[in-house]
Amino acid sequence: MNRQEIRDGLSHNEKRLLLSLSEMSACSPADLIAAGRFELEVEVMGAASWLSSKGLAKIEENISRSFVLTDADIVVQGLPERRALTAIGDGTMDLAELAERLPGGEDKIAIGWLKRKGLADISKGGELKTISLTDAGKRMLTGKMSDEALLERMAAGPVAEGDADPLVIKDLKGRQGMIEEKIRTDRSVSLTDEGIAIIAMGIELKEEAAQLTVEMLQSGKWRDTEFRKYDVQTFAPAVAPAKKHPLSRLADEIRNIFVQMGFTEIDEEYVQPAFWNMDVLFTPQDHPARDLQDTFYLSSPETIRIDDDELVKKVKEIHEIGGGTGSSGWGGEWSREKAEQALLRTHTTVNTIKHISRHPEPPVKVFSLSRIFRNESIDSTHLPEFTQIEGIILDEKGDFDMLVSLVKGFYGRMGFDKVRIRPAYFPYTEPSLEVEVFFNGRWMELGGAGIFRPEVVAPFGVKHPVLAWGFGFERLAMLKWNIKDIRDLYVSDIDLLKKNTIF
Ligand code: PHE
């Protein structure tokens, strides 16, 4: 930027300050206010720092320290060691008596300082401990200790750092409630050569609008208003406004997609009996996913009673012999105790099946976006707590094509246009599929889907197809933002969150 542009970009206050400085030379904000040139220190310093960033003025800061008494009483009362000194006087005193004269533990403080200053000695005669003054201590009966002298000066007003013995200051600062440090910053502003050169070009003080207002637009006044020039290249500090965590924003985006597609959000408790998490979903009781290694079982509560005996009976029959669904079941004996074990839900399919149990009639369109738990070791692709995007459609015309187009439609809206499905297996769906998206030259698995089996829906009297899916939320976030380590999603590094603009 050339001089002319810099001059044209000066604000009213900057111009006022330049002109004032050319008349008054180096001066402090207080001087400028006293001279009636400005009203507030912040006005002066605001303009000064802009001028300084443009190289037109220089701000000098002089920091000075001084010390004041925290409590003026200390001078009236005297230091504990002074009171002890007076009490002991020329003679010898039992420590017990000193403790009576200086109650509240002050005797200990006094003895500590007397010894440290070499003013008293303690001697031990059998059980009895006595204290007496040293020669220096006796002299001090009429003298003044250096810290006392300094405290007295402070009682009269602040003592500048340079006017006091640093060792005495250090001791007093180390004692509680005695003195305080006051820091004062004096600033002065002066012109640089560049500032003088700009003034020499001529500076016109005229009112300029810094902002275009609604009123100016409505009245048409903007036509003959002089606007201040903006310098879009000037350095400006970055502002980090409060914003939602990127994962919350992604969750909002997903919720929006489902709501726009006519879905309603549902959720259930994290703690569930195995019955709803597994048995109702026709997962056999010896299924590996039910192992301790995969599922977090709870010790408190250890079990959750299933009250609905009729439902329990139906589920038992389905597991053992198919229960009239045309299935032959898993065979063997189904255990109610196993089904009543309490666990942290391992998928949100709990939410959808519970919803179906209460709403078996079409149309049903619900989704959930919520936390699940699996007993996994933490590594770059696994966390023991993560999130699923789950949903179902119960519709008279529901079929496999509808499910596939829903899955592809969702990922399409999330920005993945290459989506493919592969056959898969889940105990509760038939047919079952796996969804994969093409990303960074690879097909990545993002979730499963299928149509609930008769064994799952029969106990609730559902007569129409239930299309169901469960997608990984964190995986999706990792793909979207190209994050390699799942843990990075949950490290709330505030600087990273502030700076990162891709989120
Ligand atoms: N519950 C399955 C999982 O956790 C996903 C799924 C949901 C599959 C619904 C089919 C139907 O991976």
Side-chain angles (χ1 to χ4, degrees), residues 281 346-349 352 372 374 386 388-392 425-426 428-429 432-433 445 447-452 467-471:
L281 290 165
T346 62
H347 54 185
T348 41
T349 316
T352 51
I372 63 158
R374 289 186 196 172
F386 54 106
Q388 276 186 332
I389 310 161
E390 186 97 23
I392 43 162
Y425 172 77
F426 301 101
Y428 32 93
T429 48
S432 305
L433 63 89
E445 202 219 300
I451 301 179
F452 277 157
L467 318 179
W469 68 90
F471 307 148

Side-chain angles (χ1 to χ4, degrees), residues 44-118:
V44 180
M45 289 318 296
S49 63
W50 279 113
L51 289 179
S52 134
S53 74
K54 294 173 187 177
L56 309 185
K58 209 166 59 197
I59 303 173
E60 264 165 312
E61 285 192 347
N62 180 22
I63 295 172
S64 55
R65 282 169 224 276
S66 61
F67 298 93
V68 295
L69 290 181
T70 304
D71 182 1
D73 236 26
I74 193 72
V75 178
V76 183
Q77 275 185 18
L79 293 170
E81 60 267 36
R82 165 61 64 191
R83 278 178 278 140
L85 198 87
T86 316
I88 301 163
D90 254 343
T92 299
M93 184 178 274
D94 285 354
L95 286 193
E97 191 188 338
L98 186 66
E100 263 173 48
R101 299 275 204 102
L102 271 78
E106 283 215 275
D107 59 321
K108 301 268 177 344
I109 299 172
I111 294 169
W113 284 100
L114 284 176
K115 279 170 59 179
R116 191 163 154 185
K117 290 176 176 175

